Amino acid sequence: MNANEVKNELPPNYEQLKTAANRTSNWRERLNAVEELGQWKSQKTIDVLLHRMNNDTVYRIREAAFRKLEQLGESVQLPERRKGDLIDGLTKTLVRIKKSLPKDHSFEEFKVKLQKMRLDIYDTYEGELGTGFEKWLEDKWAALVTR
């Protein structure tokens, strides 16, 4: 099947794609699942794509779901970028992680602990900010007041 061909049925690996599309700590898997689901036109695949378009924390996934739904002939509107924190309580969580580390910890130690404790936050912002993620996180870390 070429990339632009749409099949009017459920993909044989639908359950795995649905699971991948909803995996909160891996934006790349969600994006790949959206791309693959968009090649199959059924109510179930459309429902998953609509859910990703309306609810994903990473805008590029919301946009990809929108484009796939459009290609499938659905009447949808491109969602707006969210303003503010993508995940509620972000600053509070980052402060908690910073406080849990020794006072003289490095940014690298903070980054590793964030990945271990809250991969969902790490992954969401990495997916949203792309190449600007590292600088954004370091700036956030430097600005956190812990005492």
Side-chain angles (χ1 to χ4, degrees):
M1 171 168 77
N2 73 42
N4 296 328
E5 187 180 334
V6 172
K7 293 203 173 203
N8 289 319
E9 54 192 78
L10 210 54
N13 59 341
Y14 169 75
E15 288 302 325
Q16 292 94 323
L17 289 172
K18 181 180 170 190
T19 299
N22 291 307
R23 189 158 285 130
T24 57
S25 62
N26 195 324
W27 68 267
R28 287 174 184 88
E29 275 190 41
R30 291 197 313 276
L31 183 58
N32 290 338
V34 162
E35 294 294 339
E36 196 170 333
L37 285 165
Q39 297 174 26
W40 301 83
K41 186 169 184 169
S42 74
Q43 193 54 55
K44 285 185 174 188
T45 58
I46 288 168
D47 289 346
V48 173
L49 292 170
L50 282 168
H51 185 74
R52 284 298 92 206
M53 182 186 82
N54 292 319
N55 300 298
D56 207 282
T57 51
V58 176
Y59 188 74
R60 75 174 76 181
I61 295 167
R62 296 174 75 205
E63 190 176 31
F66 162 77
R67 301 236 180 277
K68 289 298 180 182
L69 286 162
E70 241 186 1
Q71 288 171 9
L72 294 175
E74 295 298 302
S75 176
V76 288
Q77 279 193 292
L78 181 63
E80 287 185 25
R81 280 191 181 271
R82 294 197 174 114
K83 298 190 181 359
D85 289 342
L86 301 175
I87 294 180
D88 291 335
L90 173 70
T91 301
K92 197 175 186 178
T93 302
L94 296 179
V95 165
R96 209 171 319 129
I97 291 169
K98 189 169 182 173
K99 278 183 172 180
S100 74
L101 291 162
K103 196 173 185 147
D104 61 348
H105 71 274
S106 68
F107 166 67
E108 207 51 46
E109 290 170 308
F110 173 79
K111 189 171 99 172
V112 167
K113 186 138 189 191
L114 173 62
Q115 256 183 307
K116 284 181 182 169
M117 288 181 70
R118 290 297 303 270
L119 184 56
D120 60 325
I121 290 175
Y122 188 95
D123 188 78
T124 294
Y125 282 91
E126 181 193 40
E128 186 67 19
L129 301 171
T131 58
F133 170 70
E134 189 92 10
K135 179 172 180 359
W136 170 85
L137 186 59
E138 191 163 7
D139 290 348
K140 276 281 201 203
W141 167 75
L144 292 172
V145 179
T146 57
R147 285 171 176 72

